[in-house]
Amino acid sequence: MSTLLSTVLDAAGGGRWSGGRALRADVSVGGSVWAAKGWPDGAPGMTVTADTRRQHVVITPFTAQDMSMGFDNSAATVLDSAADGAGPQRDHATAPDPAGRPGP
């Protein structure tokens, strides 16, 4: 590894990045494009969680408080949340990868 790259990685946390399992961000999205799509208030109060070890992102809530949207390298899936908080219960719709890439 070059000295410059080593210096940058050390300054940004170095090996700590490999220790993390997920990144989480609380986001609110708005603007005129959302109103045109029928969402005049945009998408406020969402939590986006990205797995750092595989291609997987979950957005919660998605269209309703008990729904989530999951993206991975093969599909985008809308899921009901389990009533007991144990995780997804039912797959509502799955959209295949537009590039036709196979799943994991």
Side-chain angles (χ1 to χ4, degrees):
M1 181 176 341
S2 76
T3 304
L4 176 59
L5 179 57
S6 179
T7 301
V8 169
L9 290 176
D10 287 343
R16 291 186 297 178
W17 282 102
S18 63
R21 302 281 310 159
L23 299 173
R24 178 183 159 182
D26 295 325
V27 299
S28 292
V29 181
S32 59
V33 71
W34 290 95
K37 293 178 178 278
W39 294 45
D41 297 328
M46 297 185 300
T47 299
V48 179
T49 306
D51 190 313
T52 62
R53 307 289 170 108
R54 62 188 179 107
Q55 295 178 9
H56 185 75
V57 175
V58 176
I59 300 171
T60 306
F62 183 77
T63 69
Q65 288 299 319
D66 62 344
M67 303 287 280
S68 295
M69 172 64 96
F71 297 94
D72 63 25
N73 66 337
S74 63
T77 307
V78 178
L79 303 166
D80 277 339
S81 294
D84 62 2
Q89 285 183 325
R90 183 168 54 116
D91 175 349
H92 280 278
T94 300
D97 184 316
R101 294 176 289 243

